[in-house]
Amino acid sequence: MAKQESYLIIGGGGFLGKRIVELLLESPSPPEVYILDLRKTFDNPRVKEFIEGDITDPVAVNNACKGRTVVIHTAAVIEGFPTPVYWKVNYEGTKTIIDACRKQGVPTLIYTSSASVTYNGQDLRNGTEKDPYCEIHMDTYNETKAAAEQLVLSSNGGGLATISLRPAGIFGPGDNNASKGLYDAAKKGNWKFMIGDNSTLFDWTYVDNVAQAHILAAQNIHRPGVSGEAFYITNDTPTFFWDVPKYLYNELGYRNTLHTRIPRSLGLLLGSVVDALVAILKPIRKINPTFTKFRVKVITNNRYLNIAKAKDVLGYSPMIPLEEGLRRTAVHWKAFDDAAKAAEAN
Amino acid sequence: MSASALLASATHPTELYALVRYILTPTPSSISPASKKSSVSPSRSPTRARCYHFLNLTSRSFSRVIAELDDELRHPVCLFYLVLRALDTVEDDMTLDIARKAALLKDFHNKIYQKGWKFMDSGENEKDRLLLQEFDVVIEEFLTLDEKYQKVIADITKRMGAGMALYIATPTPEKPRYIEIETTPAYNTYTHYVAGLVGIGLTDLFAASRLEQPQLTSPANIELANEMGQFLQKVNILKDFLEDLQEGRVFWPKDVWSKYVPEGRSVDALAEEQHQDVALACLNELVVDALKLVPSCLSYMSLLKNPTVFQFCAIPQMMAIATLDHFYNNPSVFRTTGTKIRRGLAVKLMLASTDMRSVKKQYEQYALSINRKNADAVGKNDKDKSFMKVAVACADIVKWVHAHDETQLVPAANNGWKFDWVVAVGLVVIACALAMGMLPTVL
């Protein structure tokens, strides 16, 4: 290779983005790594520059993209925002990035999408990338992710090669979603309850594997037939839904967990009630319930994917097995919990 | 059929039903020497009758399974069984001099061509010694088989005998056992020799009979056949731990059990009540090893086209998965010998072994059952580190069933939201009460 690759990781200060940065820098011949994120979240002398900036600001994005050979776009707002913010950041922001890549002549754009762009609670076994987008998305996050993914993929060509990756159930030490949700639930005393009979399979993906997939996508994108495609990324180890919480709770020291089983039918009913309440109260007060009908459906239906395409085309294979990923995650939360308890004691 | 079997299944109505059905249904083609359209030997020969007498004598459950086979295959399979049973009796015999035993094991594939050969020196306690004492009868019948069947049987006998000879030992003060398996790879090789080869040989017989396609003997499928046999053997090895230990044989691999026994102790520590936690942890690690073979077993069975061959293969497999479910994390493995699954359950499983769809359903149920027990056991045994591995192995079985579920319709994205909306509105009153902090907020 004549010229050293130069990567820009947008959202590189976040949970996934940071692991992409670290894996890139740990590689045998590391490329230049730049980060664009709203706030500087860590210091790493090997990072060329940590640029603070907003992806909805074309000037900032254009400056950051200038001279890069690869842009990896992992930034998004996930939950707790009003609808217009999702569209502004997740959709408009992505559009801004695509435009900047074109303008600055960046040849490669990797976009972090989500497996939920095709999922809204249905029973899904061995789903493939041929499955259509949802007609009705479960929430605005997914709707905007799907819209942005379509934008990214349709922008492929004319000097810009794009790929969209769809990880399912990302978790890892300190994630803000999956394992944090379980940790918080346990703290609230919800380690006692489970919905359904734990007979359905669910895909999880350890963060390092997702990061690795991004790097592989960037490395393989210019081979024929790779760009313009979407790929599911999982740990390729679907497990019965409640076994993962069970493992984490046990590692955190909870015993006899999930002993109270709420039947699926009752769970769906309660979820519907909550949904109705949220809808009714919407004009008065915004509620973000955790117990929704959608969540009950996700938990009590199969949701796992076939990742043959990522394996065959990108050469992807999960480096960190599920159990090892869970072990590392549990170690993190155990330490977090011990620290929290120590702080409380003082 | 004993009354005790009925009694044991008294609280399991489906088993009771199965037992009654089994008692009332005559065996479709009962094991008798005089089979109508036998392809090989003349009917009613006394040696043939004697062979089926031995079959009934040495294995009641297997004779019933063989009875289900197509006429073309029944006799070759019967003789395959008797030859291997005789070989096994030699292997098991602790009274034989080791050098003599090894030589006989390795030469057994030649003996089956020697008219009149028999073996009179089996130990008093060998329950099947009669078979060797009258082995000339088996040879007589073997030589009437079509050459294609003889070749398969002789080939497998040769390989198995040579394999067995590698594992037999004379007990010494340092190594006090007749058989001790050092490593997991050796455990896999051993189970290949004594059982995987049976699966391979049967597959060759099925194909030779033309009741199954010749592709069944492709290298990939032969490996599946091997794993079929290994699965059955490993389940037996797990279940019979105590009995084998008492007879001076340890098939559990040392590299596994040595992680669990207390410092300076040998494998017999697992049989002691005060070491139950480590014993169960060790058992469960080996259960995972066995469970990993199940998808291959399912794949093999799904290749079979002939209904009688299918049933012949599926019945022992179903018994094995049920046995594994019974003994997973079960202290009785280390306390009592000879425990089996209930007769009623066995019969129910036999009746459910008729087609792949029913077999898949049973396997899914057993995978869920083992997974349930696994989840219930979490945190109750600090020594047991197999939770996630059992969970993944069970999930892999269900995943296999899903992938081969031709009845499943691809569900359209479920947007049936409106009807539930109506229900939900009707429940708003209750909702308000519940919403006052009474809702469990899972996740």
Side-chain angles (χ1 to χ4, degrees), chain A residues 15 168-180 182 203-210 235 244 248 320-330:
Chain A
F15 171 65
I170 307 182
F171 74 98
D175 73 63
N176 266 319
N177 206 265
S179 72
K180 181 174 192 299
L182 291 170
D203 260 330
W204 307 85
T205 318
Y206 186 64
V207 60
D208 285 19
N209 298 328
V210 182
N235 241 88
V244 163
L248 289 175
I320 308 295
L322 182 69
E323 186 174 6
E324 172 59 16
L326 287 170
R327 193 191 62 75
R328 294 183 190 181
T329 307

Side-chain angles (χ1 to χ4, degrees), chain A residues 38-217:
Chain A
L38 267 183
R39 273 174 306 278
K40 187 166 180 176
T41 51
F42 63 92
D43 258 317
N44 186 333
R46 301 180 69 191
V47 172
K48 203 91 179 157
E49 193 184 349
F50 199 129
I51 308 157
E52 291 190 358
D54 192 327
I55 60 167
T56 60
D57 169 7
V59 178
V61 175
N62 267 278
N63 284 338
C65 288
K66 196 172 186 175
R68 305 290 84 80
T69 58
V70 177
V71 170
I72 297 181
H73 171 26
T74 71
V77 288
I78 300 175
E79 60 184 352
F81 291 92
T83 303
V85 176
Y86 286 101
W87 283 101
K88 184 154 185 353
V89 177
N90 296 356
Y91 183 77
E92 296 294 336
T94 301
K95 197 166 181 305
T96 307
I97 291 165
I98 295 168
D99 292 344
C101 286
R102 285 219 176 283
K103 207 163 161 191
Q104 304 302 331
V106 178
T108 301
L109 171 63
I110 312 296
Y111 173 68
T112 315
S113 180
S114 159
S116 299
V117 296
T118 55
Y119 189 68
N120 72 348
Q122 76 272 28
D123 190 67
L124 182 64
R125 307 166 177 193
N126 282 309
T128 69
E129 290 83 351
K130 293 192 178 82
D131 294 342
Y133 291 104
C134 299
E135 279 172 41
I136 299 174
H137 289 277
M138 67 171 180
D139 57 22
T140 316
Y141 169 78
N142 285 297
E143 195 176 353
T144 54
K145 289 303 275 186
E149 175 184 288
Q150 285 166 285
L151 203 60
V152 168
L153 295 178
S154 64
S155 304
N156 180 59
L160 176 64
T162 63
I163 280 180
S164 178
L165 298 179
R166 298 171 173 174
I170 307 182
F171 74 98
D175 73 63
N176 266 319
N177 206 265
S179 72
K180 181 174 192 299
L182 291 170
Y183 176 80
D184 290 344
K187 281 285 164 196
K188 278 193 268 176
N190 288 337
W191 52 271
K192 300 176 195 115
F193 302 101
M194 64 182 261
I195 305 166
D197 59 2
N198 199 25
S199 64
T200 53
L201 298 175
F202 195 82
D203 260 330
W204 307 85
T205 318
Y206 186 64
V207 60
D208 285 19
N209 298 328
V210 182
Q212 179 68 13
H214 281 76
I215 296 168
L216 284 169

